[in-house]
Amino acid sequence: MKLDVDVLRYLSKEDFRVLTAVEMGMRNHEIVPSELVDRIASLKHGGTYKVLKNLLKHKLVHHDSSKYDGFRLTYLGYDFLAIKTMVNRGVFASVGRQIGVGKESDIFEVASEDGTILAMKLHRLGRVSFRAVKSKRDYLKHRRSYNWLYLSRLAALKEFSFMKALEEHGFPVPNALDCNRHCVIMSLVPGYPLVQVKELQNPEMVFERIIGLVVCLAEHGLIHCDFNEFNIMIDDDENVAMIDFPQMVSVSHRNAQMYFDRDVECIYKFFGKRFNLSFEEQADHSDSAEEDAEDSSRPCFSSINKTAGFLDKELAASGFTRKDQADMDKFIEEGSDEDAVSGDEEDASDSTEAIVRDTDALHLSEQPEQIQEGDGADKDETRQRVAASRHESEAQDGSEERGECEEDACDAELVKRLNKQRRRAIAAAHGGRKALASRNSYKDKGGRSSHNSKIQKQLSGW
Ligand code: ADP
Ligand code: MG
């Protein structure tokens, strides 16, 4: 996916304010009604509609009028919110080239103020189909519907928490530096993914080290679950590091044995093929071999002493912290209500109050830190000497592309409509006349409440 951060420099406080309003609205709506965006952003004189046009032009939001007139964030819009927050926090100051693309993430180099190069991983869970995600990812649990913002944020948070815990226990992993929304900032691992390495001076030793890591993880209560040549980095001195943690599970997971054996098998297979290592069991190990009781060298899940540490317990078993898990459970329970909301536009929980409550509960926007008044934000804007390399990455997910085509097609019509809405809002603001609802308009019952002013406070920094 293209990440043209140059645009960031030209975005105003109002742009970010409206973008944040769309994000907040998405807590309860897949498509956020224009009127609701306007109400949350609360810009004077119908300013929201003008800003929405600009955000649309830069593909930071997507317009949808199939049910009612509304908007949703695009991944790019979400990227910008996360990047802006990180830059405001002083984590990094510029974004560089893309160094990795997975089916569920994009990885970029970023540079801090003092020139240190770091890695930024942007999770993109909506890229694969929900069914595939749900079957693989235990953090979705019983949730029936999903929201890619939420899923990607959760994946990032899980990865960040696991990376930090592993680092603290001496595992060779990147240094986890910060996390916001779907974005994780970590140290740049020197070297290359093992898959790119054709020759090793000491393949046996590297192999032992890597298998040792799988065992050591299990001793600490964890299984990587995607432990393969793509997620192992190796440097010129043949030091190894592991990356990519959102799918890790506890050794008490019901499929733990299978995941463990699969991780081990991946390494055996790769080293057998790439570096011609031969293993005792290969004679009686055909492709379908699962367990081999006679193979004394291959690590066996059941005989591993899993008492070196209880990282899985510390991380609340295949979750992250207890609090995150609790927040998430709450969200999952509310998920069923949310399903109803998207089908029933008149549900009471559409109110602004509900958005504030839910947003607060989930910390979707970390207002106190990310929204700094006045000079902080201004200073940061000038600090954004963002030198982007324009990367055409792999294809985005189909729906996004489809969305963008539709976007182009109805652009002119939309601009007309936005102008109309803007005029109406201006008229309403001036004359005290109620804004007329458009044909597709969304009926929102939430009034301007005290909660509303809370949002205004939260938004005031953009
Ligand atoms: P995915 O979940 O999409 O597989 P990964 O975390 O495995 O994402 O990262 C994809 C690629 O990006 C890796 O194979 C590696 O080349 C690169 N990469 C990821 N994290 C780092 C890092 N901290 N330092 C250097 N390269 C990295
Ligand atoms: Mg990976």
Side-chain angles (χ1 to χ4, degrees):
M1 193 177 116
K2 195 169 168 175
L3 179 61
D4 183 359
V5 283
D6 268 352
V7 176
L8 253 174
R9 277 192 283 192
Y10 307 110
L11 293 181
S12 65
K13 272 189 179 184
E14 279 72 30
D15 289 324
F16 273 105
R17 190 178 168 100
V18 173
L19 204 56
T20 309
V22 177
E23 180 190 37
M24 285 180 159
M26 282 184 74
R27 178 59 192 82
N28 279 35
H29 299 79
E30 213 177 304
I31 305 293
V32 191
S34 311
E35 287 90 341
L36 189 57
V37 180
D38 184 37
R39 183 121 56 85
I40 299 173
S42 211
L43 295 185
K44 282 182 198 138
H45 311 307
T48 304
Y49 299 105
K50 193 174 157 202
V51 171
L52 278 170
K53 261 196 299 181
N54 191 39
L55 298 178
L56 204 58
K57 189 176 95 192
H58 293 301
K59 298 194 188 321
L60 302 177
V61 293
H62 168 68
H63 176 246
D64 187 307
S65 58
S66 52
K67 271 195 190 168
Y68 48 80
D69 216 40
F71 293 84
R72 66 165 168 80
L73 279 183
T74 59
Y75 257 124
L76 191 63
Y78 204 38
D79 292 349
F80 274 28
L81 286 172
I83 290 171
K84 169 97 171 157
T85 301
M86 295 288 198
V87 171
N88 282 358
R89 286 182 190 169
V91 182
F92 63 85
S94 63
V95 179
R97 68 190 180 103
Q98 183 160 12
I99 51 172
V101 57
K103 63 181 188 307
E104 290 176 1
S105 76
D106 286 315
I107 290 101
F108 294 84
E109 277 183 356
V110 293
S112 66
E113 199 76 67
D114 67 4
T116 312
I117 308 289
L118 307 166
M120 168 173 78
K121 179 166 177 176
L122 297 165
H123 286 262
R124 310 224 184 271
L125 248 69
R127 253 189 207 169
V128 287
S129 81
F130 176 55
R131 255 174 230 289
V133 174
K134 192 173 163 98
S135 63
K136 269 166 65 186
R137 306 283 186 247
D138 63 344
Y139 45 74
L140 288 176
K141 297 238 164 144
H142 316 295
R143 202 167 146 70
R144 281 187 285 127
S145 73
Y146 81 107
N147 168 331
W148 56 261
L149 250 75
Y150 172 71
L151 290 182
S152 301
R153 188 181 73 88
L154 215 52
L157 188 55
K158 180 169 179 183
E159 174 148 61
F160 180 74
S161 315
F162 275 64
M163 212 183 322
K164 246 196 149 28
L166 290 171
E167 187 192 354
E168 278 159 19
H169 284 77
F171 283 89
V173 297
N175 177 213
L177 295 166
D178 206 350
C179 176
N180 177 262
R181 297 180 171 86
H182 61 323
C183 170
V184 177
I185 305 294
M186 59 189 128
S187 62
L188 193 72
V189 177
Y192 335 84
L194 186 59
V195 67
Q196 290 174 12
V197 177
K198 300 283 175 253
E199 239 176 85
L200 285 173
Q201 288 196 322
N202 233 324
E204 286 87 1
M205 215 176 76
V206 175
F207 170 80
E208 289 301 332
R209 212 177 275 162
I210 291 172
I211 285 295
L213 278 176
V214 190
V215 173
C216 196
L217 275 177
E219 286 169 352
H220 282 78
L222 293 172
I223 302 166
H224 187 285
C225 287
D226 203 7
F227 202 72
N228 56 42
E229 61 274 24
F230 297 94
N231 292 327
I232 295 167
M233 305 287 290
I234 185 153
D235 69 10
D236 292 338
D237 297 325
E238 305 196 343
N239 294 311
V240 295
M242 53 182 176
I243 57 169
D244 201 0
F245 312 103
Q247 63 293 315
M248 288 187 85
V249 300
S250 157
V251 287
S252 53
H253 190 283
R254 65 185 186 289
N255 297 324
Q257 163 106 39
M258 185 271 284
Y259 289 138
F260 177 87
D261 289 344
R262 197 179 61 185
D263 279 358
V264 170
E265 176 66 13
C266 272
I267 303 304
Y268 269 71
K269 250 195 177 146
F270 179 75
F271 274 81
K273 256 191 176 165
R274 177 73 56 95
F275 304 112
N276 298 319
L277 291 199
S278 56
F279 308 105
E280 280 169 46
E281 81 275 18
Q282 271 188 344
D284 26 42
H285 248 281
S286 57
D287 294 347
S288 61
E290 284 159 32
E291 277 173 62
D292 189 355
E294 288 148 54
D295 171 25
S296 54
S297 61
R298 188 181 280 236
C300 170
F301 183 67
S302 55
S303 56
I304 289 175
N305 183 5
K306 303 169 188 79
T307 53
F310 295 97
L311 270 177
D312 58 336
K313 302 262 163 23
E314 275 176 42
L315 288 158
S318 74
F320 7 111
T321 67
R322 266 174 232 283
K323 186 175 175 308
D324 292 330
Q325 191 69 54
D327 277 354
M328 215 181 73
D329 288 345
K330 186 161 164 265
F331 187 92
I332 290 161
E333 276 162 31
E334 284 171 4
S336 44
D337 303 342
E338 201 178 307
D339 295 348
V341 168
S342 54
D344 177 9
E345 291 160 20
E346 307 206 0
D347 193 289
S349 60
D350 281 359
S351 67
T352 313
E353 288 92 314
I355 293 172
V356 178
R357 190 191 62 228
D358 294 343
T359 308
D360 280 356
L362 278 160
H363 319 293
L364 257 175
S365 46
E366 301 182 27
Q367 291 78 17
E369 264 181 279
Q370 83 188 34
I371 299 176
Q372 292 158 7
E373 271 293 359
D375 62 348
D378 288 341
K379 202 181 89 213
D380 286 320
E381 246 151 23
T382 54
R383 258 203 296 160
Q384 286 167 26
R385 299 168 276 103
V386 179
S389 63
R390 282 143 216 264
H391 261 280
E392 284 296 347
S393 83
E394 281 185 354
Q396 315 179 35
D397 89 88
S399 63
E400 191 94 334
E401 277 175 7
R402 236 186 358 264
E404 283 175 11
C405 294
E406 283 165 14
E407 211 166 89
D408 292 341
C410 50
D411 221 28
E413 202 216 328
L414 176 65
V415 167
K416 246 164 70 188
R417 209 178 314 150
L418 280 169
N419 277 332
K420 209 164 150 192
Q421 286 182 352
R422 186 165 165 252
R423 280 198 302 275
R424 274 202 197 112
I426 292 171
H430 285 314
R433 194 161 51 88
K434 248 190 160 180
L436 293 170
S438 75
R439 192 157 47 90
N440 286 335
S441 83
Y442 161 87
K443 224 174 174 181
D444 193 331
K445 288 183 174 172
R448 283 178 188 273
S449 64
S450 57
H451 290 282
N452 210 356
S453 63
K454 191 170 168 192
I455 294 186
Q456 304 319 327
K457 222 164 87 194
Q458 290 165 354
L459 286 171
S460 62
W462 285 127

